Structures are given as structure tokens and as C-alpha cells.
Amino acid sequence: MTEPELTRLVECVPNVSEGRRPEVVEEIVAAFAGAAPEVLVLDRSSDSDHNRTVITLMGPGPALVEAAVAGARACARLIDLTSHRGAHPRMGALDVLPFVPFGAVTRLRGGDAPDLDCTDLALRAGRRIAEEAGVPVYLYGAAARHPGWSALPAVRGRGFEALRAGGHAPDFGGPGLHPTAGATAVGAREVLIAFNVVLAGADLDLARRIAAAVRERDGGLPAVRAMGVPVEAGVQVSMNLLDWRVTSPAEAYAAVAALAGRHGARVEASEVVGLAPAGAFEGVDPADLRLHASLDDLLLESRLLQALTTSKENR
């Protein structure tokens, strides 16, 4: 890609309800990647406890719309939510599909170029997923059409089973859910960091109390969503940092560690699910956050450079 093309890149982060069958994840990633030659797969992060995979894609807007439709069809074919179990809430096989501004000229919403407008891309992808994959779509974030639906938890509600029993009508498709693939939340949002902290010497009740103490909704840290969940290693405080400039991973880590320490527990490890912008970890030593991965493996910019280099070598 040339320099002008780089400024027009958009990020897309599909969240897929499968993290235990590597061969299925591989087939789904291949469906996203194979939809258009310009689609770059920067990362895939699978978690067996959550039974979920987060995929980070980058490319021009129209190519990502094609990828979204192809990936949705693969998810609907390969994942059956009636037999799916995991710690993470979910409403669909392809659970969440956000478009995120990245390039210098892309925007969350507005502007004269629809291919650079993440809200417009979400609308196009959502309509086509409903029509071509047969999966109903709820719009969220900057693409939301209904008051109160900008926040993803408000759209997802209590998940697939509750929505199947009777929930609000989707924006595209429906009115009922797909019998096995559920529905997909498609939206446009700013950069989000999924950041998990595993605790030692804590039970699920303490993890949930710490999550309540740090999340914004209950008076905790600004721009933080959090929940306590059981994992194979014990328990985890799973967080979404909605604006790392307001609450950074280091600040979220420190708050969780302090609360755990007051109750005789400690932090065992932390992890970033997917990728994060370099600015979020500027001046941070990964060892201080007990991160197992190197920063080069976690940073969006580093992985983009690697993907572009590989793509150029393969031409």
C-alpha cells in the first residue's frame, strides 16, 4: 500500500463466539481474510474460558464490508449457539462487529466519503449480513438508530437465550433470531482496549465486587466496563477500556491490584485481548503489569507494519 492508501485504512474487530476449536477459528479467519485481497489480518486472540475469538482486521472500507459478510456467513454455518457455553456474554455466532477509525482521513461518522465513514460502513455491512447471511443485525455505537442502544450491553441484554425468548426487534432482518447463529451487533466506535486481570487468592464473589468497584456505571473509573468471571486459572476481572486516554491499562491494573490486596488477594497476570494503540502503553514496563506478551505483539501499529511487510514480500 502507498502512503496515501495508508491514511484511508479502517480497522474492524469481529468478536466470534468460538475459542475452543482451532480448526473452526481458522476457517472463519480465512473467510474474513479471503473476501478481498486488501484485507489484512493483524491478530486473532482465542480464549477457551470465554469461548471467544477476537480478530483484528485492517483495510479499505469497502473491502472490510465484503469481509464482514463473508465472515458472518462462515460463523452462521460453523457455530451453533444452542450448544455454546462460555464465560463471556454473547448474542450471536458473529457476536460483535465494530468499525473503528484508524487512517488519518477516516472518521467515526460524517464526512463526504462513505468509504471513510465508519458509521456508513456499519450500516452497509449490517444490511448485507441480514440479507446475505440470514442473521438479524442490531446497530450500536455511533451507528445506533434507537435511543439507548449506543452501549453494547444495552443491545445484547441478557444474551442469545433471553433474546430468543422474546426481545426487541433488530434493525435489519428478523423479527426473530437466527435459530443457531442468533444475531450480530454491528456498529462504529472509537478504539477500545480489552484488558483482563487474573487474580490469585480470590473467589468469584471478590472478582465481581472488584469489577463493580472499578466500572464507571457503579461509580468507578471513567470509561471502564468490567465484570468478574471464572477462568481455568481461577477468576478474572475482565475490562473494556473505552478510552485509554481517560483510563489507561496501567491505571486500571493499579486499581484492581489495590482492591485485591485489601482482601488478601493479588494479581497473577494481565492480558490484552486483541491489539492496543502504542500510546496506551507509552512509558509502561510490561513486567509492571505482569503482561506475558511482549509489547510488539500487543501494539496495533507494530502488527500493521508486520502485516504490510509480509504482504509486500508475498507479491
Side-chain angles (χ1 to χ4, degrees):
M1 292 184 182
T2 66
E3 195 66 33
E5 288 173 327
L6 284 172
T7 68
R8 303 171 70 87
L9 291 178
V10 179
E11 183 185 3
C12 184
V13 192
N15 285 224
V16 174
S17 296
E18 178 55 65
R20 298 174 182 171
R21 297 179 293 167
E23 71 283 0
V24 172
V25 172
E26 185 65 34
E27 189 168 347
I28 289 169
V29 172
F32 280 108
E38 304 93 338
V39 175
L40 299 173
V41 180
L42 304 191
D43 185 69
R44 71 189 77 176
S45 297
S46 294
D47 187 298
S48 60
D49 292 307
H50 288 246
N51 201 3
R52 192 173 183 86
T53 295
V54 177
I55 306 164
T56 304
L57 308 175
M58 194 79 78
L64 292 181
V65 171
E66 296 300 327
V69 178
R73 294 177 68 174
C75 288
R77 177 169 53 86
L78 295 167
I79 298 172
D80 183 349
L81 286 190
T82 64
S83 58
H84 175 279
R85 299 293 180 271
H88 200 288
R90 80 285 185 271
M91 64 188 284
L94 173 55
D95 191 48
V96 187
L97 185 85
F99 290 84
V100 183
F102 176 79
V105 296
T106 56
R107 298 287 183 270
L108 185 62
R109 70 172 96 195
D112 298 327
D115 290 350
L116 306 177
D117 181 338
C118 290
T119 298
D120 192 81
L121 293 171
L123 294 174
R124 287 151 61 183
R127 186 177 291 107
R128 287 188 56 191
I129 287 171
E131 292 174 352
E132 299 175 37
V135 177
V137 166
Y138 293 85
L139 297 172
Y140 81 102
R145 291 178 167 179
H146 300 279
W149 283 20
S150 61
L152 180 58
V155 175
R156 182 188 283 134
R158 294 174 60 194
F160 171 68
E161 288 78 11
L163 284 172
R164 187 173 57 167
H168 40 283
D171 292 285
F172 300 121
L177 301 188
H178 186 287
T180 57
T184 298
V186 178
R189 61 160 173 78
E190 298 288 358
V191 172
L192 172 155
I193 300 175
F195 184 58
N196 300 332
V197 178
V198 179
L199 302 178
D203 58 14
L204 184 57
D205 177 68
L206 178 57
R208 287 173 171 166
R209 284 189 283 131
I210 291 174
V214 300
R215 63 181 170 234
E216 181 179 40
R217 186 185 70 194
D218 294 322
L221 299 172
V224 173
R225 293 180 187 145
M227 60 183 179
V229 297
V231 294
E232 186 176 356
V235 294
Q236 177 187 93
V237 179
S238 178
M239 294 175 282
N240 280 344
L241 310 182
L242 306 182
D243 187 342
W244 61 268
R245 295 176 181 84
V246 173
T247 297
S248 69
E251 290 167 328
Y253 177 95
V256 171
L259 289 164
R262 291 176 197 169
H263 295 87
R266 61 180 176 82
V267 172
E268 179 70 24
S270 71
E271 63 175 354
V272 173
V273 181
L275 301 176
F281 288 95
E282 188 172 353
V284 174
D285 185 342
D288 292 340
L289 304 187
R290 301 185 69 84
L291 280 165
H292 289 163
S294 70
L295 280 185
D296 276 348
D297 289 334
L298 300 177
L299 300 184
L300 183 61
E301 294 87 347
S302 297
R303 297 294 283 273
L304 175 59
L305 181 60
Q306 292 173 21
L308 289 171
T309 301
T310 301
S311 176
K312 185 179 296 185
E313 291 172 350
N314 292 336
R315 288 175 187 171

